[in-house]
Amino acid sequence: MITKAYPIANPQDGAKPCGLFIMDFDGTLLRSDRTVALEDRDALQQLGELGIIRAIATGRSLFSFNTVTISNLPIDFVIFSTGAGVTQYNGDKIIRKLHLEPREVDLAGEVLKAHRLDFMIHRIIPDNHRFAYYRTNPKNADFDRRLKLYRPYADMLTETSRAFGPATQLLAVVPARSGIAVLEAIRNELVDFNVIQTTSPLDGQSTWIEIFPATVSKSQTAAWLAEELQIDKRQTVSIGNDYNDLDLLEWTASSYVVDNAPADLKNRFPTVASNNNGGVAQAVKKWLAEKKKVRS
């Protein structure tokens, strides 16, 4: 289900934007010390001065995104929860949100249970940092780590999935050695959903399998934002670092990955410096140079 809650305010003071630059957050814009490099800030400021919309597209919930304290970041929009929600930066209004219907939650939950996976069902936006969890395996360190991180917002799933109601997503935590095989099996069983692979941001090894409505992805929400702002797809660019950025990287007209991305992504897309070494700034520089070359 899709809800458009509030209209979009044009960040360019009424002028038509001339481009859309979309960046992943963790491992792309955000450095390992949870700061943003000065050269990346300057590059984003430059884009704004050129009339280009700047958006972060993150797997984090809005609650989680707001736990990272970065003042006066020069961006316009935050696409959060892998595209399930959109807000204007530093605004208090969510302008778009999507969720799974109860019957979809029930179906996805039963599939995860059948594969004996540990998973969490997240409430609908804006409360999707809250979840109910279901566990089968007594030893799943990454699952325990995430549970500990969100303990005040977590409840054990004692009722059936159907009684849970609507949800933003389901998230299964799979130990590294078995992630890829079970991912393909779940995708085959949940063909009417968007099943996304993410490397755990907590241990960097486990596979997170995230289940969303078919209408939710970074690329689909980026396309919606571009259409709302009347931005030509040919003027879109993205930069990312992991598999949950793949659909976005494939959708935008220009795409880059940072040097800390997996090798198979670096083989597919132009590579810039790592997140710790101004990769976003380098992507901005390369993209603007390409645009100038096309015009000349």
Side-chain angles (χ1 to χ4, degrees):
M1 181 176 180
I2 303 174
T3 302
K4 185 179 176 184
Y6 296 96
I8 292 179
N10 189 331
Q12 299 297 334
D13 296 324
K16 183 179 177 181
C18 57
L20 176 59
F21 185 94
I22 312 169
M23 71 216 90
D24 175 55
F25 191 52
D26 291 271
T28 301
L29 178 65
L30 193 68
R31 296 190 292 190
S32 301
D33 63 359
R34 292 168 66 91
T35 64
V36 173
L38 180 59
E39 58 263 44
D40 289 344
R41 281 180 176 271
D42 290 345
L44 293 175
Q45 184 67 40
Q46 180 188 9
L47 288 177
E49 292 167 357
L50 292 172
I52 295 163
I53 298 296
R54 305 145 300 179
I56 284 174
T58 178
R60 288 177 180 255
S61 66
L62 191 56
F63 173 89
S64 176
F65 178 77
N66 287 333
T67 63
V68 183
T69 306
I70 302 173
S71 60
N72 301 317
L73 189 60
I75 62 169
D76 303 298
F77 293 94
V78 179
I79 297 169
F80 60 91
S81 298
T82 314
V86 183
T87 187
Q88 292 198 236
Y89 185 62
N90 281 338
D92 58 355
K93 292 182 174 64
I94 293 168
I95 57 178
R96 191 175 192 246
K97 54 185 177 179
L98 305 91
H99 65 256
L100 292 160
E101 298 292 354
R103 60 178 176 76
E104 296 174 311
V105 176
D106 178 56
L107 173 59
E110 290 306 311
V111 167
L112 295 179
K113 288 177 182 178
H115 284 277
R116 299 186 58 79
L117 297 179
D118 303 319
F119 65 91
M120 300 157 180
I121 309 176
H122 286 257
R123 303 287 177 187
I124 61 172
I125 294 168
D127 297 319
N128 59 320
H129 57 290
R130 300 182 181 275
F131 59 82
Y133 64 93
Y134 177 90
R135 72 176 311 150
T136 299
N137 306 294
K139 294 182 179 180
N140 188 337
D142 199 54
F143 185 85
D144 292 336
R145 192 175 289 110
R146 191 169 194 265
L147 195 57
K148 182 179 180 181
L149 187 63
Y150 285 93
R151 177 60 70 182
Y153 311 106
D155 298 302
M156 185 179 293
L157 185 65
T158 55
E159 74 271 34
T160 63
S161 299
R162 188 179 300 277
F164 185 88
T168 298
Q169 71 179 104
L170 289 83
L171 188 157
V173 180
V174 188
R177 294 180 180 178
S178 18
I180 301 303
V182 74
L183 172 70
E184 291 309 312
I186 290 170
R187 280 178 171 161
N188 289 335
E189 293 179 57
L190 296 176
V191 293
D192 294 325
F193 296 74
N194 192 11
V195 181
I196 297 174
Q197 172 192 3
T198 305
T199 303
S200 168
L202 301 181
D203 70 3
Q205 298 178 346
S206 300
T207 296
W208 287 9
I209 298 174
E210 300 184 80
I211 301 171
F212 289 96
T215 50
V216 168
S217 66
K218 290 186 178 184
S219 63
Q220 290 180 91
T221 302
W224 171 84
L225 184 60
E227 183 177 0
E228 288 289 311
L229 295 169
Q230 299 180 23
I231 297 171
D232 192 317
K233 183 182 174 182
R234 291 173 295 181
Q235 302 303 321
T236 61
V237 60
S238 63
I239 177 171
N241 81 308
D242 202 4
Y243 298 107
N244 65 334
D245 301 314
L246 181 56
D247 68 289
L248 178 63
L249 294 166
E250 291 176 333
W251 178 80
T252 51
S254 300
S255 308
Y256 302 91
V257 293
V258 286
D259 193 49
N260 47 293
D264 49 343
L265 291 184
K266 292 196 290 183
N267 288 335
R268 292 185 59 181
F269 301 99
T271 302
V272 292
S274 73
N275 65 312
N276 289 326
N277 292 288
V280 167
Q282 192 175 114
V284 169
K285 183 177 180 180
K286 285 177 176 287
W287 182 55
L288 292 178
E290 286 297 319
K291 283 168 64 69
K292 185 176 181 180
K293 187 186 300 183
V294 169
R295 288 196 301 267
S296 60

